[in-house]
Amino acid sequence: MPIWSELPSELLQLVYKHLHLTDQLRFGLVCKSWLLVANKKPYPPAPEHPWLMTKRGNHKEPYEFLSLTDNRVYKIYKFPQHESIKGCSKGWLVTTKDLELHLLNPISNVQFQLPHHFQFSYVPDLCKIKKAIMLHGPDTFVAVLFCLGNLAICKVGEQIWRNTSTSINYDDIIFYKGKLYATYINHDNQACFSVFSVYGYDRFSVSLVPETDFCIGFARFSLSTYLDTSTYLVESCGDLLMVTSRHRQIGFDVFKLEVNGSQGQYIRIKDLHDQVLFLGYGYSLSLASQNSPPGLKGNHVYCSGSYFSDCKVVFSLKDGSIKSLPPRMANLEDPIWFTPTLT
């Protein structure tokens, strides 16, 4: 009978290499020799399936995280008190407390304070942040989009947020191929993009100027349908997708952005092949079905809701069928997708 505590360190590291985050966290609980390997963190966790977490919580009730990998609910009791979640990106949360913005990793409990000062001509209401995203990790850029369409960007560690040089009210934002894409509707009711090169900005400048601006030829956000439409920007297999859903209609439309110089257009696609789209408030992502949790199917959309709608459904692009999210997912209050990380 093998003595697990006497396994060679090299072999334990190979086992550790293939574990997901939750299993790596448990690894060191086996015995002292396993703990020594775990403390060295020789390998990052295996690619993690997305979790669902509750957007609401308080100092009495813990935040709940549903892992789709093992279909278990994890509760975090040490979540900073009175923090309100405004966005989620790359395993980090953008939160507000009083008049402060923070970047928080709920797994490691590491927290960074974001700048207090904005360049707007008014004092922004931090409670009215529509979306907050991060470029790579906690040492890069954060962008926040307010409900009125105002956009601000900062680099973690700087003292001030930079607003954009335009008076445009943006609808949605995403970091794509190292640049910030922001959607809006122009005066001709055309859907357009502003593209900001965040790495190339002048650190002494007050605002950011778009490096390019282009229309894509159709408007999904006309004034008559804006409040009745949910949209999601998501990167999938290197492409930038826009997914739209009308609240009073059943189903989703998926479009792929194609850009040629200063011209762009969205091409409707009806087949995602083996890709699974996870859409939701503040954060959306795409995974290949073979890398998705058991039971989740390719060419399907799993939606946990949006800023305007509590739409918790599964949609098939193949046949247009739609059904509710599995009960364990749908029963979470204000669920958002979250990809856990320790870094």
Side-chain angles (χ1 to χ4, degrees):
M1 184 174 180
I3 302 176
W4 297 107
S5 61
E6 296 181 1
L7 290 175
S9 173
E10 294 80 5
L11 180 58
L12 291 176
Q13 290 187 34
L14 288 177
V15 174
Y16 186 90
K17 179 180 181 179
H18 295 281
L19 298 179
H20 293 286
L21 175 63
T22 50
D23 290 326
Q24 285 193 356
L25 294 174
R26 299 188 190 104
F27 191 88
L29 301 177
V30 177
C31 60
K32 288 185 178 179
S33 62
W34 289 45
L35 178 60
L36 289 174
V37 172
N39 286 340
K40 294 178 182 178
K41 297 182 175 59
Y43 296 100
E48 188 75 38
H49 301 144
W51 291 9
L52 269 177
M53 66 169 291
T54 53
K55 189 166 71 74
R56 295 178 182 173
N58 54 52
H59 63 285
K60 295 182 180 179
E61 297 294 330
Y63 278 83
E64 292 185 338
F65 295 78
L66 172 62
S67 169
L68 303 189
T69 302
D70 53 18
N71 200 31
R72 293 183 59 180
V73 173
Y74 296 92
K75 297 183 178 182
I76 294 184
Y77 291 88
K78 295 183 179 180
F79 201 94
Q81 294 186 11
H82 309 298
E83 294 275 355
S84 175
I85 299 173
K86 296 301 179 183
C88 173
S89 184
K90 308 296 190 295
W92 290 75
L93 306 175
V94 177
T95 65
T96 60
K97 181 180 180 181
D98 300 325
L99 298 177
E100 295 182 349
L101 273 169
H102 298 104
L103 200 58
L104 171 68
N105 185 320
I107 305 300
S108 64
N109 209 31
V110 173
Q111 189 176 55
F112 297 96
Q113 184 167 308
L114 296 175
H116 294 285
H117 303 293
F118 288 82
Q119 292 287 350
F120 297 133
S121 58
Y122 63 94
V123 178
D125 185 351
L126 299 184
C127 294
K128 295 183 179 180
I129 292 176
K130 179 180 179 181
K131 188 173 184 178
I133 58 175
M134 187 170 60
L135 177 56
H136 290 306
D139 58 346
T140 55
F141 295 88
V142 177
V144 294
L145 178 65
F146 288 86
C147 292
L148 295 178
N150 308 99
L151 176 60
I153 307 168
C154 81
K155 188 173 183 179
V156 178
E158 292 183 334
Q159 301 300 313
I160 197 167
W161 290 88
R162 288 172 171 77
N163 64 311
T164 59
S165 62
T166 68
S167 59
I168 295 171
N169 294 326
Y170 292 104
D171 297 301
D172 201 357
I173 53 175
I174 187 173
F175 281 115
Y176 175 63
K177 294 185 176 180
K179 298 181 180 181
L180 180 65
Y181 284 65
T183 62
Y184 68 96
I185 298 301
N186 67 11
H187 296 298
D188 296 324
N189 200 34
Q190 292 179 308
C192 303
F193 270 98
S194 293
V195 183
F196 299 88
S197 179
V198 292
Y199 283 112
Y201 76 91
D202 180 356
R203 61 187 299 266
F204 299 105
S205 66
V206 174
S207 61
L208 288 174
V209 179
E211 70 170 24
T212 186
D213 202 281
F214 58 85
C215 295
I216 55 178
F218 74 97
R220 304 294 297 180
F221 307 100
S222 66
L223 293 178
S224 61
T225 62
Y226 175 75
L227 294 178
D228 192 36
T229 303
S230 291
T231 66
Y232 311 86
L233 294 176
V234 57
E235 183 176 353
S236 178
C237 296
D239 294 321
L240 179 55
L241 305 183
M242 175 187 284
V243 185
T244 65
S245 176
R246 293 286 296 276
H247 301 164
R248 298 177 186 178
Q249 298 177 0
I250 297 177
F252 294 80
D253 295 320
V254 182
F255 302 87
K256 180 178 72 172
L257 177 65
E258 291 188 351
V259 180
N260 182 14
S262 61
Q263 301 296 318
Q265 62 177 336
Y266 259 118
I267 307 298
R268 184 169 183 172
I269 58 176
K270 297 184 178 181
D271 192 347
L272 293 169
H273 303 291
D274 71 332
Q275 292 297 300
V276 183
L277 296 186
F278 300 89
L279 308 180
Y281 170 86
Y283 182 58
S284 299
L285 69 155
S286 171
L287 289 177
S289 56
Q290 63 264 31
N291 298 326
S292 298
L296 273 63
K297 300 178 181 179
N299 206 26
H300 279 67
V301 171
Y302 291 77
C303 182
S304 65
S306 71
Y307 188 83
F308 294 112
S309 172
D310 188 31
C311 174
K312 302 175 184 178
V313 298
V314 181
F315 176 73
S316 169
L317 268 74
K318 180 179 180 180
D319 57 20
S321 62
I322 192 166
K323 59 183 180 180
S324 299
L325 279 178
R328 205 149 197 205
M329 299 184 193
N331 290 341
L332 288 177
E333 185 177 10
D334 287 344
I336 59 175
W337 297 110
F338 170 79
T339 305
T341 181
L342 287 174
T343 59

